[in-house]
Amino acid sequence: QVTLKESGPALVKPTQTLTLTCTFSGFSLSTSGMRVSWIRQPPGKALEWLARIDWDDDKFYSTSLKTRLTISKDTSKNQVVLTMTNVDPVDTATYYCARSRDYNNPNWFDPWGQGTLVTVSS
Amino acid sequence: QTVVTQEPSFSVSPGGTVTLTCGLSSGSVYTSYYPSWYQQTPGHAPRTLIYSTNTRSSGVPDRFSGSILGNKAALTITGAQADDESDYYCLLYMGRGISVFGGGTKLTVL
């Protein structure tokens, strides 16, 4: 059974750096075709894809946020970490991680983690 | 930047059929965009319905189907049920590692 779980601070102050961890089980991110993405959803708003890391350590970022995001993986710990610098109240959202496993299709996210709510406020 | 467009809201009668669409602010959606569809109810993580345009995810009933209709990706629900009342999101692959969600469609069953 494949599971993912997000963790991180529930409250972050503006201008600080947010660090989120996705801990997963049931697959290895060193297996060809495996990928993990981060997605967020502000309260009452739409989903937004943020970043992705692949089995071969390729990394991809949302065009609008790429200057503030860094994604990394620790294969031995089965974790993917997302950092976001200089957070603002508009970054308040539920943050999800999700797996992709099709070598030819990076656009199939399944399963998803339960999400973690991050509030940016002073 | 290209925007992925969805109807903000839609309503369907119980037992009815509804087609939600996913387009681009500029250009057409093709299978090479690997359209996928997700269902989300309040307070829950999204659930995968369709990937690769028309492949149902495991456990998804066959009344959900995906296709390309004209210049858009489409999700059709046949025989709508009350618990289909949800938000539906499409996701398109823009190439170069970038994926983009649509703004979502709030489906009401009444």
Side-chain angles (χ1 to χ4, degrees):
Chain A
Q1 181 188 6
V2 174
T3 64
L4 303 95
K5 187 172 184 179
E6 306 85 353
S7 59
L11 182 64
V12 184
K13 289 181 167 49
T15 76
Q16 289 186 336
T17 294
L18 169 64
T19 299
L20 296 168
T21 301
C22 175
T23 303
F24 56 86
S25 63
F27 69 98
S28 172
L29 198 42
S30 61
T31 299
S32 180
M34 294 296 175
R35 306 173 169 99
V36 172
S37 285
W38 281 95
I39 303 102
R40 72 178 179 180
Q41 184 174 39
K45 296 188 177 182
L47 298 168
E48 179 183 17
W49 179 82
L50 299 177
R52 191 186 93 209
I53 190 164
D54 295 354
W55 75 97
D56 57 2
D57 212 36
D58 275 348
K59 301 164 187 173
F60 306 95
Y61 298 98
S62 162
T63 303
S64 59
L65 290 167
K66 61 182 177 182
T67 60
R68 298 173 53 210
L69 297 176
T70 303
I71 192 169
S72 63
K73 64 181 172 76
D74 186 329
T75 304
S76 64
K77 293 183 178 178
N78 282 350
Q79 290 181 333
V80 171
V81 174
L82 182 74
T83 62
M84 176 183 291
T85 60
N86 192 26
V87 298
D88 181 271
V90 299
D91 297 312
T92 294
T94 296
Y95 287 77
Y96 298 98
C97 60
R99 183 199 67 170
S100 302
R101 61 179 170 95
D102 188 329
Y103 184 92
N104 294 312
N105 176 7
N107 212 47
W108 170 25
F109 297 171
D110 187 56
W112 295 57
Q114 65 189 23
T116 186
L117 176 61
V118 178
T119 300
V120 180
S121 175
S122 55
Chain B
Q1 182 177 344
T2 302
V3 175
V4 178
T5 62
Q6 295 185 249
E7 299 87 358
S9 63
F10 230 117
S11 64
V12 62
S13 300
T17 296
V18 62
T19 297
L20 312 182
T21 67
C22 175
L24 292 169
S25 57
S26 176
S28 299
V29 177
Y30 302 105
T31 56
S32 56
Y33 283 85
Y34 295 102
S36 54
W37 290 89
Y38 304 86
Q39 178 191 48
Q40 187 183 35
T41 53
H44 292 87
R47 168 198 180 197
T48 311
L49 294 176
I50 301 286
Y51 62 95
S52 295
T53 303
N54 56 13
T55 303
R56 271 185 299 277
S57 192
S58 178
V60 174
D62 60 6
R63 52 200 184 78
F64 290 92
S65 62
S67 64
I68 298 290
L69 284 181
N71 62 349
K72 297 181 180 182
L75 173 71
T76 300
I77 306 172
T78 305
Q81 301 180 0
D83 60 3
D84 294 336
E85 188 161 292
S86 303
D87 295 325
Y88 292 85
Y89 293 93
C90 69
L91 178 69
L92 299 181
Y93 181 62
M94 300 303 191
R96 300 182 180 181
I98 305 294
S99 293
V100 179
F101 282 98
T105 297
K106 183 177 183 63
L107 180 66
T108 302
V109 180
L110 52 74

